[in-house]
Amino acid sequence: MLPVNRRDQWLPEVFNDFFDTDFMPKTKATAPAINVKESDVDYEVEVAAPGMTKDDFNVHINKDGDLTIKMESRKETKDEDKKSHYLRREFAYSKFEQTLILPDDVKKEEISAKVNDGVLTVVLPKMKKEEVNVVRQITVD
């Protein structure tokens, strides 16, 4: 008996062969992990960025009032030995951009960011809600 090759794929193999060619290669993109924490006083956005420095980041509020985090890093390994030639030379380039819609209770003027131990932390302070206790006598008509 011959083994049966079953394909439980939504796209047939014809489409896979068409899209994965030299003219249209598959993209292998990865995005860093993002954590969002909330406390009574702020939100914290943490972005995993091992090996990145503060110069690799651009954090800003765009024209729509959303938080945009961009990171870009280029690293090149150089070997200055004149007696040899390259059989393999590696370049490292990574780029990432993420836009987050901010809640209405964020103080946009007080947002801060820092990089520490391979993690970018963006602190989004909350506006303080004023609780008004109204004590009064209500007359009954």
Side-chain angles (χ1 to χ4, degrees):
M1 202 175 196
L2 294 173
V4 176
N5 186 6
R6 297 186 109 191
R7 293 184 193 174
D8 295 327
Q9 297 178 353
W10 184 73
L11 287 175
E13 192 66 31
V14 171
F15 289 107
N16 291 338
D17 291 341
F18 174 75
F19 286 116
D20 189 19
T21 65
D22 291 334
F23 298 110
M24 192 180 277
K26 289 182 181 177
T27 58
K28 293 178 174 60
T30 58
I34 294 180
N35 297 330
V36 180
K37 296 190 297 187
E38 180 182 9
S39 70
D40 293 338
V41 295
D42 64 14
Y43 302 96
E44 278 190 21
V45 177
E46 300 172 328
V47 180
M52 299 277 199
T53 65
K54 68 178 189 172
D55 297 329
D56 297 329
F57 291 96
N58 179 357
V59 180
H60 68 278
I61 306 258
N62 66 15
K63 64 180 177 173
D64 297 325
D66 302 328
L67 179 71
T68 300
I69 301 170
K70 295 180 183 179
M71 64 185 204
E72 184 173 6
S73 177
R74 294 176 188 235
K75 294 186 175 138
E76 183 178 334
T77 304
K78 293 184 179 181
D79 185 7
E80 299 298 327
D81 186 5
K82 301 293 182 189
K83 297 178 184 177
S84 62
H85 63 279
Y86 290 104
L87 294 177
R88 179 177 176 168
R89 187 172 182 182
E90 294 188 9
F91 297 91
Y93 176 77
S94 59
K95 184 176 183 179
F96 168 76
E97 181 175 344
Q98 178 74 42
T99 300
L100 303 171
I101 298 172
L102 295 177
D104 293 333
D105 63 343
V106 171
K107 292 183 188 176
K108 295 181 181 177
E109 315 81 40
E110 297 181 18
I111 294 174
S112 63
K114 66 179 180 179
V115 177
N116 190 18
D117 295 331
V119 177
L120 169 71
T121 304
V122 181
V123 178
L124 310 165
K126 290 183 177 180
M127 291 183 222
K128 292 182 182 174
K129 294 180 182 176
E130 295 182 22
E131 292 184 25
V132 179
N133 292 330
V134 178
V135 179
R136 68 180 184 105
Q137 180 64 40
I138 299 172
T139 58
V140 180
D141 292 328

